[in-house]
Amino acid sequence: VSIGIAIWDPTYLAPEDLLRDADTAMYRAKAQGRDMTAVFDEAMRRHAIETLELENDLRRGVARREFRPYYQPIITADGLRIAGFEALVRWHHPDRGLLPPARFIRVAEELGLIIAIDRHVAEEACQQLRAWKAAYRRHEKLSMAVNISSSQFVQPDLVPQMDLILRQSGIYGSALKVEVTESVLMENAQHAEDMLEQLRKLDIGISIDDFGTGYSSLAYLRRFEIDTLKIDYSFVSRMLFDQESAEIVRTIVHLARNLGKESVAEGVETRSQFEALQRMGVDLIQGYYVSPPIPADGAQELL
């Protein structure tokens, strides 16, 4: 049993106020584990008010299209060519300034607003890719990776929406990659198999994000048609001082090569990591050592 407790004070104007705060305390108790209790306090009150304000701001932000893609370059392991970009959402909040995903993604997912945000980011990123391909002919093989949330992945209109985005932007499916996590694929394997098959018919590439941190079975690599394995930053960040992490990175690189798939190391922050990954034979590299996510004009300067 999880119990949330709210103690009456003169600020309550109605019984519903007391029940609301007890409910908030109950969720705090549940977050602490089984058979816990929590008493509503001022910190919870502030958090509840901040969450409510964030919810209202998110709804307005979606309506006003305040969300923009920032672009993080993905380069070849030899460092000589930009292979593509990953579009990562940022919120241009009118009062709080530029907000990273950690500040709003969880609440956006809870409200179901992440679907509209993901769609808008994909639309703008594909339009931008088309403009870059037209302006820089030597970058004709440039690709764009967009993230698909678990909420968006289960939407029945995902494939028609992606098809529409491709048509409106005028790019071929082969220039677009969608990134999904292992856990999203395995929550409903049959649905995932059908969805990925339809996306492949549009020639869209499939990347597994945070590879190695999710589902323990590798059988899905045979079951699903996947193009790219993205090595999670948690392994990359520790591989120079933790032998197990280094072996995991090396194993994923070899696994990708042996299966005819592409390997991408994400979260690369130092030259030492970059050089170690080069020696391991990774295909592509992404991270702050190369560049943080940057607005479109900054990405254009890199091109």
Side-chain angles (χ1 to χ4, degrees):
V1 176
S2 299
I3 300 176
I5 302 165
I7 299 172
W8 180 87
D9 67 51
T11 62
Y12 289 125
L13 302 178
E16 290 80 8
D17 297 340
L18 191 65
L19 290 171
R20 177 200 62 216
D21 291 349
D23 189 54
T24 298
M26 184 194 70
Y27 278 99
R28 175 66 61 87
K30 290 175 71 173
Q32 295 171 352
R34 292 173 175 266
D35 298 328
M36 300 294 288
T37 64
V39 179
F40 188 83
D41 57 20
E42 189 57 38
M44 288 188 207
R45 188 188 305 278
R46 288 196 302 271
H47 179 72
I49 292 172
E50 289 170 0
T51 300
L52 181 60
E53 291 175 348
L54 181 59
E55 290 178 2
N56 293 332
D57 287 353
L58 274 168
R59 291 190 172 91
R60 284 194 296 267
V62 169
R64 297 172 181 174
R65 300 174 77 87
E66 294 171 354
F67 298 89
R68 294 284 182 273
Y70 269 48
Y71 302 96
Q72 187 166 39
I74 302 170
I75 67 169
T76 55
D78 58 16
L80 298 179
R81 182 174 63 86
I82 298 176
F85 292 90
E86 180 180 356
L88 297 163
V89 66
R90 296 292 185 267
W91 184 5
H92 285 265
H93 194 286
D95 300 319
R96 305 183 194 183
L98 187 66
L99 299 181
R103 297 280 298 276
F104 62 86
I105 285 293
R106 182 186 60 81
V107 177
E109 289 176 339
E110 292 175 358
L111 297 175
L113 296 174
I114 192 63
I115 298 170
I117 293 172
D118 281 349
R119 186 173 298 166
H120 171 64
V121 167
E123 289 172 353
E124 191 166 324
C126 287
Q127 293 283 357
Q128 184 62 72
L129 179 63
R130 178 70 182 89
W132 284 336
K133 282 178 173 287
Y136 306 103
R137 295 295 184 182
R138 65 191 182 93
H139 288 296
E140 61 181 15
K141 294 184 178 180
L142 203 65
S143 65
M144 183 68 68
V146 299
N147 290 279
I148 300 294
S149 65
S150 57
S151 301
Q152 189 180 14
F153 192 72
V154 298
Q155 295 298 308
D157 65 342
L158 172 62
V159 175
Q161 284 293 333
M162 299 306 291
D163 186 30
L164 180 62
I165 289 172
L166 290 175
R167 293 175 186 274
Q168 290 178 337
S169 62
I171 66 171
Y172 294 107
S174 57
L176 179 63
K177 295 182 179 181
V178 298
E179 296 192 0
V180 294
T181 62
E182 293 171 287
S183 56
V184 167
L185 292 180
M186 300 315 301
E187 283 172 3
N188 188 335
Q190 186 57 57
H191 171 79
E193 189 171 13
D194 295 341
M195 191 66 72
L196 294 184
E197 183 179 352
Q198 294 179 60
L199 290 171
R200 290 307 298 259
K201 287 180 180 178
L202 297 176
D203 204 23
I204 294 174
I206 310 296
S207 297
I208 300 300
D209 200 12
D210 305 335
F211 185 79
T213 62
Y215 199 72
S216 58
S217 172
L218 297 178
Y220 73 88
L221 290 177
R222 176 178 53 82
R223 180 175 180 180
F224 303 139
E225 290 190 51
I226 295 164
D227 302 288
T228 305
L229 305 181
K230 297 196 73 173
I231 306 168
D232 187 67
Y233 77 95
S234 62
F235 302 126
V236 173
S237 64
R238 297 196 301 264
M239 67 180 189
L240 296 182
F241 57 84
D242 178 64
Q243 187 60 34
E244 289 186 355
S245 294
E247 288 303 324
I248 289 172
V249 173
R250 186 176 290 107
T251 299
I252 295 174
V253 171
H254 290 167
L255 176 66
R257 183 182 300 115
N258 292 337
L259 294 178
K261 305 182 188 305
E262 198 173 48
S263 60
V264 181
E266 57 182 352
V268 181
E269 297 182 346
T270 68
R271 183 179 183 85
S272 297
Q273 292 171 350
F274 182 86
E275 292 173 345
L277 289 162
Q278 283 180 316
R279 291 192 295 270
M280 290 180 184
V282 74
D283 296 314
L284 300 169
I285 287 174
Q286 173 183 359
Y288 274 59
Y289 176 70
V290 178
S291 170
I294 50 181
D297 54 356
Q300 185 160 319
E301 287 184 18
L302 288 180
L303 290 172

